[in-house]
């Protein structure tokens, strides 16, 4: 993975602007998730996410955390804005080594290029199919 130059720093945040973040590292992965939890939490059919190493992710403002059981059995930690309730990223800042960033919060998400789609069997009929070239998994791919 290439290292990002400072002028390609990627920024995002919530709807009201109280919570902002910067991504200064190349994401480890980029994908789409159609799971039931992501549908609930986003109010939509799927989410786009990138995995960012904690060393390349900086948050300003105070996000509120919601923890529930992940489908894999562990804890799923989601951070949102306490004021406007935008869903922002996953994981505990200062504790986890990587974060899942929900790409809808990016100021410019045009660089987002998903390589996989998971829980695709949950995709509602009205939602678009993953774009060509994306590896589609009906559930969580084996080995994850
Ligand atoms: Zn907000
Ligand atoms: Zn999901």
């Amino acid at each position: 993975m290439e290292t990002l130059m400072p002028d390609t720093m990627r920024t995002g945040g919530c709807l009201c602007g109280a919570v902002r973040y910067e991504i200064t590292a190349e994401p480890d992965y980029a994908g789409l998730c159609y799971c039931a939890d992501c549908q609930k939490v986003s109010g939509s059919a799927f989410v786009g996410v990138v995995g960012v190493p904690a060393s390349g992710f900086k948050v300003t403002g105070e996000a509120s955390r919601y923890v529930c059981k992940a489908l894999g059995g562990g804890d799923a930690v989601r951070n949102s804005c306490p004021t406007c309730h935008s869903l922002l990223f996953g994981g505990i800042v200062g504790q986890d080594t990587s974060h899942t960033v929900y790409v809808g919060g990016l100021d410019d998400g045009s660089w987002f290029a998903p390589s996989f789609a998971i829980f695709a069997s949950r995709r509602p009929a009205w939602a678009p199919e993953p774009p060509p070239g994306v590896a589609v998994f009906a559930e969580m791919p084996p080995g994850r």
Side-chain angles (χ1 to χ4, degrees):
M1 287 286 166
E2 76 210 79
T3 305
L4 290 181
M5 296 292 111
D7 62 345
T8 57
M9 192 163 64
R10 292 152 179 178
T11 57
C14 66
L15 184 59
C16 78
V19 184
R20 298 284 303 160
Y21 58 77
E22 295 173 359
I23 298 172
T24 56
E26 187 65 25
D28 296 319
Y29 59 84
L32 308 173
C33 185
Y34 293 85
C35 84
D37 285 6
C38 285
Q39 291 188 27
K40 282 275 190 201
V41 80
S42 69
S44 190
F46 64 95
V47 297
V49 294
V50 289
V52 179
S55 57
F57 186 61
K58 184 165 155 260
V59 180
T60 53
E62 205 59 46
S64 68
R65 284 205 293 264
Y66 177 70
V67 183
C68 69
K69 280 294 162 212
L71 292 161
D75 284 342
V77 181
R78 293 180 172 87
N79 297 267
S80 57
C81 172
T83 302
C84 70
H85 304 285
S86 303
L87 179 65
L88 293 166
F89 59 91
I92 300 173
V93 172
Q95 188 171 319
D96 286 323
T97 55
S98 73
H99 295 283
T100 304
V101 179
Y102 296 87
V103 299
L106 293 166
D107 297 327
D108 175 6
S110 60
W111 53 270
F112 175 66
S115 64
F116 64 85
I118 58 174
F119 297 102
S121 64
R122 322 289 173 91
R123 179 179 63 83
W126 51 264
E129 289 186 41
V134 169
V136 178
F137 300 91
E139 301 291 324
M140 194 68 146
R144 289 239 183 184

